[in-house]
Structure formats: C-alpha cells, structure tokens
Amino acid sequence: LTVTYTPPATDSSLKVSYGFDEGSGTTLTDLSGNANNGTITGATWTSGKVGSGALSFNGTSNYVSIPRMNYDEITLSAWFYKNANDTTNADAIFGGWRWNSDTQLQEGLELRFPINSNILQFTVVTQNSTGTKTQKTASKDLVTSTGAWYHAVGTYNKTSAEQKLYVNGLLVATQTHA
C-alpha cells in the first residue's frame, strides 16, 4: 500500500489529523495538536498521488498503528496504492482497533484489508448509554486491490448512529449502530 493524505484546515474541534507528506521517520504526526501520533512499522516514505509524500507498504507486515480513539464523530481519509496482498497479517492503513472475541473487550477503529484480501474494511466499536459495545464493519470488495490508486473515507456519526465507507467518492457501505 502507498498512502497519502491531505489534512483538512485546522480548527479547534479537530481531534486528530494525520499528514502523509512528512517524508521521513517512523512517527505519523497528529497535526491537530492533540498528540495522537501514529507509529509507522515497516512502511517507507515515497512520492505519492497527492502532495509530495506517501507511505509505501510492500505487502509484508507493514502498518500504521494509531491510538485507540472513541469519539462521537470520526472521519478517516487516505489515498492508497496497494503493491501486494499481505499473506501474513492484515494491511492496516489506520490500525487503532483492539480486537477480542468478546465484543465487550473491543475498542477503537480500523481501516484495513484482512490477510491476503482485496476487501477494504472500516471497523468501528461503539458503546451505548448502558455500556454495551457493538462492533460493525463496513466493507467493499475491490476485486483487484493491487496496482491502482484508491481513495477511501470512513465516517462515523454518533447522533445518526451511521458508519459509512466511501471508495473513490462513492458510498459503498453503511452500517447502523444500535
């Protein structure tokens, strides 16, 4: 995967914003000023689709780990170019989800491809007013996810309880949280 991102204009309500145009290092800086920095594992900096920088994922255990975030409104956005399917681990464009077979022990969110897959998934764990957690995944089978640029956006809005996944500007999946 090669990931690029152009962050939105900064405003005081912004919880996290990642800029994929830094061009060096192993930290993905949170440009919102809230110190939710991500850690780059295995990926390398290269030129990208948008702007001067991008992360290149070679298909073998490369990912960006971000802090687990539980906010009322979430938007993740990234351009990516997938070089190969990872046959060992999931390809996490943004990985901030703690999985557990017991949903009540899960938290966070993730935008990823499962192991050796062309299916883009946006997973979000929510918690209702009584404390019960729900995990939902919006997904899109890209059929052939390697060798082309894609733009993915994942959103969640607590007020509407809707989680959405967009690919190349089109709404491709919606989940509703109870």
Side-chain angles (χ1 to χ4, degrees):
L1 293 174
T2 299
V3 179
T4 61
Y5 173 68
T6 303
T10 304
D11 69 40
S12 61
S13 67
L14 198 58
K15 304 293 188 234
V16 65
S17 174
Y18 298 108
F20 287 95
D21 58 357
E22 300 165 354
S24 65
T26 58
T27 300
L28 194 59
T29 303
D30 173 13
L31 301 175
S32 74
N34 293 317
N36 290 312
N37 296 334
T39 303
I40 302 165
T41 301
T44 57
W45 290 100
T46 187
S47 60
K49 174 88 172 164
V50 177
S52 60
L55 286 176
S56 179
F57 295 72
N58 67 11
T60 308
S61 302
N62 296 175
Y63 56 93
V64 176
S65 176
I66 60 173
R68 291 182 197 103
M69 293 177 264
N70 297 303
Y71 296 118
D72 293 347
E73 291 186 41
I74 297 165
T75 299
L76 297 175
S77 171
W79 280 97
F80 66 88
Y81 184 97
K82 191 173 178 188
N83 299 311
N85 286 334
D86 190 333
T87 59
T88 308
N89 295 299
D91 282 328
I93 297 170
F94 291 106
W97 174 40
R98 182 175 71 186
W99 184 87
N100 191 292
S101 59
D102 179 353
T103 304
Q104 300 314 301
L105 299 176
Q106 293 181 10
E107 64 180 342
L109 56 100
E110 188 163 64
L111 182 63
R112 72 176 190 156
F113 288 91
I115 297 170
N116 201 26
S117 174
N118 291 304
I119 299 172
L120 180 63
Q121 297 179 327
F122 176 52
T123 299
V124 176
V125 178
T126 59
Q127 183 173 318
N128 67 16
S129 60
T130 65
T132 302
K133 291 183 179 181
T134 301
Q135 178 262 310
K136 299 276 185 158
T137 300
S139 55
K140 171 67 176 164
D141 187 345
L142 299 178
V143 183
T144 305
S145 60
T146 58
W149 281 97
Y150 292 94
H151 184 253
V153 177
T155 66
Y156 170 72
N157 181 298
K158 184 176 181 177
T159 303
S160 67
E162 289 186 332
Q163 169 187 345
K164 297 180 179 185
L165 175 63
Y166 299 83
V167 176
N168 295 339
L170 299 174
L171 177 62
V172 296
T174 301
Q175 293 284 347
T176 304
H177 292 253

